[in-house]
Amino acid sequence: QVQLHESGPGVVKPSGTLSLTCTVSGGSINNYYWTWIRQAPGKGLEWIGYVFYTGSTDYNPSLRRRVTMSVDTSKNQFSLKMTSMTTADTAVYYCARVHTGWLDFWGQGTLVTVSS
Amino acid sequence: QSVLTQPPSVSGAPGQRVTITCTGSNSNIGAAYDVSWYQQLPGTAPKLLIYGNSDRPSGVPDRFSGSKSGTSASLAITGLQAEDEADYYCQSYDSSLTALVFGGGTKLTVL
């Protein structure tokens, strides 16, 4: 069974940069797209972007200027960087595996709070 | 404002049947992009419930079923149980936005 686990700081300062890593276990990162989704408190799900195991990426147009994703196949990990963080970016951030258009395995999520 | 529109809430008594609709447009559901559904229990990560419009992952009870027609999709839950109380999200792809898109979510209350 594939498992995903997000890691990173729980608090980021306003205007700072968020860095999160998702570690994949129980399966290879190869041959799949991997994605980041976020959920603001009490709100719905928002797609941030995805990265293919080769390193190619596609991002939500509304976040494209601030987001960078990368993959490290040797560690079975992929990462998210988001710059210019504001309080509006406070959310639970999930990583997930993309399987032909749907998200079949999800991490437990990590709460990121933007606060000074 | 979500690209895919869902009712904010639905409710039903134990044993009853409820449906949750997901309305899109010709650039997503109507463009033949598949719809998936996710169940999010309180305080947990979303879980894949339906993929490819109507297929169920192993382990998902056949009380849950999905369908798609035109620019809309539906999730039906029969034989409602207390543990079905959760938020439900539809998801597809939008070719105009070049983005994976979600509905706003529907809160199911089991009375």
Side-chain angles (χ1 to χ4, degrees), chain A:
Chain A
Q1 178 85 338
V2 174
Q3 294 185 318
L4 295 88
H5 184 260
E6 304 90 350
S7 58
V11 180
V12 177
K13 286 185 171 20
S15 78
T17 296
L18 169 67
S19 293
L20 293 176
T21 296
C22 183
T23 301
V24 180
S25 60
S28 174
I29 204 166
N30 291 333
N31 302 315
Y32 286 96
Y33 282 90
W34 302 87
T35 190
W36 290 94
I37 307 291
R38 69 179 181 178
Q39 185 172 34
K43 302 295 186 183
L45 302 170
E46 180 182 28
W47 175 67
I48 299 172
Y50 40 57
V51 57
F52 196 38
Y53 76 102
T54 58
S56 65
T57 55
D58 196 9
Y59 305 134
N60 187 324
S62 68
L63 298 170
R64 182 169 289 144
R65 289 185 300 107
R66 302 167 50 211
V67 168
T68 304
M69 294 182 186
S70 59
V71 62
D72 186 336
T73 54
S74 68
K75 294 182 179 178
N76 239 30
Q77 293 177 333
F78 62 103
S79 300
L80 166 69
K81 278 193 182 353
M82 185 178 294
T83 61
S84 306
M85 296 285 283
T86 72
T87 54
D89 295 311
T90 292
V92 175
Y93 286 72
Y94 296 101
C95 59
R97 189 179 81 168
V98 183
H99 190 300
T100 325
W102 56 87
L103 311 183
D104 58 354
F105 293 102
W106 294 63
Q108 65 190 25
T110 186
L111 174 62
V112 175
T113 303
V114 181
S115 173
S116 54

Side-chain angles (χ1 to χ4, degrees), chain B residues 25-64:
Chain B
S25 66
N26 288 326
S27 61
N28 43 67
I29 298 175
Y33 291 105
D34 284 344
V35 177
S36 305
W37 291 89
Y38 303 87
Q39 177 192 59
Q40 186 175 34
L41 297 169
T44 69
K47 168 193 161 187
L48 180 64
L49 204 60
I50 297 287
Y51 66 94
N53 303 316
S54 58
D55 292 323
R56 283 186 310 276
S58 62
V60 173
D62 59 6
R63 301 187 298 104
F64 295 90

Side-chain angles (χ1 to χ4, degrees), chain B:
Chain B
Q1 190 103 4
S2 301
V3 172
L4 304 179
T5 302
Q6 298 178 232
S9 63
V10 297
S11 62
Q16 284 190 333
R17 179 182 190 271
V18 297
T19 61
I20 299 172
T21 57
C22 175
T23 303
S25 66
N26 288 326
S27 61
N28 43 67
I29 298 175
Y33 291 105
D34 284 344
V35 177
S36 305
W37 291 89
Y38 303 87
Q39 177 192 59
Q40 186 175 34
L41 297 169
T44 69
K47 168 193 161 187
L48 180 64
L49 204 60
I50 297 287
Y51 66 94
N53 303 316
S54 58
D55 292 323
R56 283 186 310 276
S58 62
V60 173
D62 59 6
R63 301 187 298 104
F64 295 90
S65 62
S67 63
K68 173 184 155 180
S69 178
T71 58
S72 295
S74 293
L75 172 70
I77 309 172
T78 58
L80 264 185
Q81 299 179 5
E83 56 261 38
D84 297 335
E85 194 160 280
D87 293 325
Y88 293 85
Y89 293 90
C90 60
Q91 173 254 310
S92 186
Y93 179 82
D94 190 286
S95 57
S96 294
L97 299 173
T98 60
L100 191 154
V101 291
F102 288 95
T106 298
K107 182 175 183 57
L108 168 63
T109 301
V110 180
L111 302 171

